[in-house]
Amino acid sequence: MIRLINIHKSFRSQQVLRDLSLTIPSGQTTVIIGRSGGGKSVLLKHIMGLIRPDSGEIWIDDQEINQLKQRDLYRVRKRFGMLFQEGALFDSMSVGENVAFPIREHKKMTHLELEKAVSEKLALVGLSGIEKKMPSELSGGMRKRVALARAMALDPDIMLFDEPTTGLDPILTAAIDHLIIETQKRFQMTCVVISHDIQSVFRIAHNIVMLFEGKIIEGGTPEVFRQSTNKMVQDFLLGQYSENSV
Amino acid sequence: MITRIFFMVGRRALAFLSELGGILLMFFQSMAWTFTPPFRLRNLIKQMEFIGVKSLFIVVLTGVFSGMVLALQSYHGFRKFGGESLMGGIVALSLAREMGPVMTALMVNARAGSAIAAELGTMRVTEQIDALQMMAINPVQYLVVPRIWAGVLMLPLLTAINILVGIIGGYFVGVILLKINPGVFMDKMINMIELSDLVQGIVKSVFFGLILTLIGCYKGYNTYGGAEGVGRATTEAVVISSVCILIGTYVLTSLLF
Ligand SMILES: Nc1ncnc2c1ncn2[C@@H]1O[C@H](COP(=O)(O)OP(=O)(O)O)[C@@H](O)[C@H]1O
Ligand SMILES: [Mg+2]
């Protein structure tokens, strides 16, 4: 279970998170929705300790990650996989090297075992045999899938997705959603997904929470969420514009 | 009005101090990570190739022409009181103590310092640095340490080469074009130059190697704001490093002698 308690975070004079509290259950998919620039990526980076809060606590199971020494924090991080918004593939390395990278860093493997692990991960995202390609030669959708393969390289039990489908066409979006659902089920992972895409949100979510003005203003199962009487939530779901959402 | 000026000066000073603090912090972190395994020899060699081998051409080119112009200038200057024979010594001395280290550092800074800032800056804004951290790999150890050591190790080497080809350039202009006696040229050079002059040049180049890689890394590592941010980081890195190199050579000259 991941718990964020009373998180505050500002960048210079800009308050991004204000007294945010959130509980993310294990073994399920929780989707965070909210406006662009609303602090969703910042929230996600807090969970992994990439950004430290100005105040507040972040618990991963029974460990408060801002109390940890770097070495222990790194041990916790190995449980995480993260798919970054633009993939964040190392563009000086080939696809195969990208996927092999975390394995090579953290596991003892022979060359052959490593090659096998890499092709397995690539097969998982439906991209067998492209090890030799460079990231710059791939389409946006392929790059995201390679990034997913790399994020799963160390068999994480918590996966974080930062807008996995933004900028993809509907068919690719469905494919990525399918991938998320399948891998979540297969490995019983805890997934945290940021998304703008309402269709895709209802496809993958066990829980939905909405971030607005630095706080979680609504949360619950998709059914509960659909029934929400909160004006912001309804506006967001219907994709409509109203005075008070500006 | 007066308070406003104080306010502005104060804010500038604070910004400067926080920048300086950040650079020093990165330096100490790099030193600490240098001696923490795993040692990333492959990254180091790659950076040594990038900073060293790939700068060779430009360093040789600037070396030859510095030597040639030094020879020409000293010829015209010293002829006025019949001191042309000192040319060999003057050329070698200026190259070893000042021109060699400074020119080499400025050229490598323009080529590699900017590239370091741009590369790390791009890695920052495309979240590749976050991705490293996500994989439980310390980015300072992985990215910064090899670059700094490559700079510290390669700059003295490049500087030595620069000085050497500079002397050859000076010899060419002095002996072949201006017909100074080759024996005199070499004799004066060997008489005037001392080991301490060469040591001074090399000490400077080590310091410059550190400065230009450290500032390039710092600016790149702390980039924000997309492609525009990368451009800004690159420019700032080159300008700040160049200024530091020029101030540094004065400070070091007055400290070392
Ligand atoms: N490292 C940073 N430094 C300064 N401002 C930042 C930083 N990271 C994010 N921000 C700001 O925080 C706000 C929230 O950003 P983000 O979390 O990326 O939004 P989104 O919900 O679209 O993912 C933005 O206004 C952004 O400019
Ligand atoms: Mg975002």
Side-chain angles (χ1 to χ4, degrees):
Chain A
M1 190 162 71
I2 302 168
R3 277 180 307 154
L4 291 89
I5 303 170
N6 305 121
I7 303 293
H8 286 267
K9 180 69 190 180
S10 307
F11 292 108
R12 286 174 213 100
S13 59
Q14 180 195 12
Q15 261 201 321
V16 179
L17 302 179
R18 330 174 181 204
D19 202 27
L20 177 143
S21 295
L22 171 63
T23 300
I24 295 167
S26 294
Q28 295 187 356
T29 300
T30 300
V31 179
I32 302 169
I33 61 173
R35 307 254 306 266
S36 296
K40 302 182 298 300
S41 299
V42 169
L43 170 59
L44 214 55
K45 286 179 184 174
H46 274 86
I47 296 177
M48 314 174 285
L50 284 180
I51 298 181
R52 279 174 190 270
D54 297 334
S55 67
E57 296 169 13
I58 296 153
W59 292 82
I60 309 293
D61 295 333
D62 55 355
Q63 285 178 305
E64 204 286 307
I65 60 168
N66 292 304
Q67 306 287 334
L68 295 179
K69 286 204 283 290
Q70 175 140 29
R71 185 174 314 170
D72 299 317
L73 178 61
Y74 277 8
R75 195 166 310 140
V76 173
R77 277 209 194 127
K78 284 185 215 165
R79 297 178 49 198
F80 280 95
M82 163 131 187
L83 182 62
F84 287 90
Q85 205 161 337
E86 305 295 335
L89 293 176
F90 301 125
D91 36 36
S92 58
M93 299 180 191
S94 71
V95 166
E97 286 166 339
N98 261 287
V99 180
F101 187 78
I103 308 176
R104 194 178 277 145
E105 285 291 325
H106 295 300
K107 285 191 175 164
K108 286 254 172 294
M109 274 197 189
T110 65
H111 190 70
L112 232 68
E113 286 172 321
L114 185 63
E115 247 174 41
K116 192 161 152 271
V118 169
S119 72
E120 244 168 49
K121 297 298 170 196
L122 283 175
L124 204 63
V125 296
L127 287 175
S128 295
I130 64 159
E131 280 92 339
K132 293 271 172 317
K133 284 222 159 74
M134 295 304 283
S136 54
E137 299 172 73
L138 305 179
S139 71
M142 284 166 92
R143 219 172 308 163
K144 270 201 178 150
R145 283 192 283 169
V146 172
L148 181 59
R150 184 182 71 178
M152 308 236 306
L154 294 175
D155 304 313
D157 51 326
I158 304 168
M159 270 295 295
L160 310 174
F161 299 85
D162 195 349
E163 303 193 18
T165 56
T166 299
L168 302 184
D169 64 60
I171 293 171
L172 253 173
T173 299
I176 297 267
D177 286 346
H178 182 72
L179 217 57
I180 294 174
I181 295 166
E182 282 301 305
T183 44
Q184 192 276 329
K185 246 199 277 185
R186 192 153 136 208
F187 302 106
Q188 279 305 304
M189 287 190 297
T190 305
C191 291
V192 185
V193 185
I194 291 176
S195 185
H196 283 303
D197 186 333
I198 289 304
Q199 261 197 326
S200 128
V201 169
F202 282 96
R203 229 168 3 217
I204 61 180
H206 297 114
N207 307 286
I208 305 174
V209 296
M210 179 156 175
L211 179 69
F212 184 73
E213 294 191 331
K215 276 197 174 89
I216 301 296
I217 55 161
E218 185 71 270
T221 60
E223 286 70 43
V224 171
F225 213 81
R226 235 189 272 268
Q227 312 297 323
S228 171
T229 51
N230 189 307
K231 185 87 178 63
M232 295 311 154
V233 176
Q234 283 308 322
D235 284 351
F236 200 92
L237 293 190
L238 301 171
Q240 73 188 8
Y241 160 85
S242 74
E243 286 297 315
N244 49 11
S245 56
V246 180
Chain B
M1 184 61 204
I2 296 288
T3 50
R4 267 238 319 258
I5 291 173
F6 273 118
F7 201 71
M8 265 166 59
V9 171
R11 198 160 51 189
R12 277 287 166 85
L14 276 181
F16 171 75
L17 285 179
S18 93
E19 190 106 328
L20 193 65
I23 293 173
L24 283 177
L25 185 66
M26 180 168 265
F27 173 71
F28 289 123
Q29 279 178 341
S30 314
M31 290 307 113
W33 279 106
T34 297
F35 302 104
T36 315
F39 304 109
R40 302 189 177 277
L41 225 55
R42 223 155 58 116
N43 289 15
L44 177 64
I45 291 169
K46 201 173 134 195
Q47 290 307 321
M48 282 169 74
E49 196 211 338
F50 177 71
I51 294 175
V53 181
K54 297 203 171 142
S55 301
L56 203 55
F57 176 72
I58 191 83
V59 164
V60 166
L61 192 72
T62 51
V64 171
F65 279 97
S66 331
M68 284 167 62
V69 78
L70 272 172
L72 206 55
Q73 286 286 12
S74 55
Y75 179 78
H76 290 307
F78 283 100
R79 198 175 44 174
K80 289 181 185 142
F81 49 86
E84 305 96 290
S85 62
L86 290 171
M87 181 199 273
I90 297 299
V91 169
L93 215 56
S94 330
L95 277 171
R97 294 179 58 142
E98 218 47 78
M99 289 284 275
V102 171
M103 283 301 272
T104 306
L106 289 177
M107 292 324 284
V108 175
N109 184 38
R111 220 203 108 254
S114 62
I116 288 172
E119 188 183 2
L120 296 202
T122 305
M123 289 187 75
R124 165 63 74 194
V125 301
T126 56
E127 297 182 304
Q128 292 177 51
I129 291 182
D130 288 330
L132 273 178
Q133 226 149 10
M134 235 358 258
M135 295 174 201
I137 292 159
N138 185 288
V140 170
Q141 186 191 27
Y142 190 81
L143 298 171
V144 178
V145 169
R147 284 170 173 78
I148 288 182
W149 281 106
V152 167
L153 294 173
M154 293 318 281
L155 256 281
L157 216 61
L158 290 170
T159 301
I161 292 170
N162 182 276
I163 294 170
L164 192 71
V165 297
I167 288 172
I168 295 172
Y171 185 92
F172 174 76
V173 169
V175 173
I176 305 204
L177 297 185
L178 301 173
K179 309 289 187 230
I180 289 180
N181 182 299
V184 172
F185 186 96
M186 292 307 288
D187 215 41
K188 288 289 177 209
M189 189 171 90
I190 289 161
N191 273 340
M192 277 175 78
I193 201 161
E194 285 169 27
L195 188 63
S196 63
D197 298 318
L198 290 172
V199 169
Q200 182 182 132
I202 296 306
V203 168
K204 279 181 179 173
S205 70
V206 169
F207 175 74
F208 296 154
L210 172 67
I211 288 287
L212 72 91
T213 48
L214 182 62
I215 291 176
C217 286
Y218 174 80
K219 279 291 168 191
Y221 195 85
N222 293 297
T223 300
Y224 57 91
E228 193 190 334
V230 176
R232 186 176 47 225
T234 310
T235 312
E236 283 180 10
V238 173
V239 170
I240 295 173
S241 296
S242 303
V243 170
C244 286
I245 287 165
L246 290 172
I247 295 175
T249 189
Y250 179 80
V251 173
L252 284 176
T253 305
S254 53
L255 283 181
L256 290 169
F257 284 89

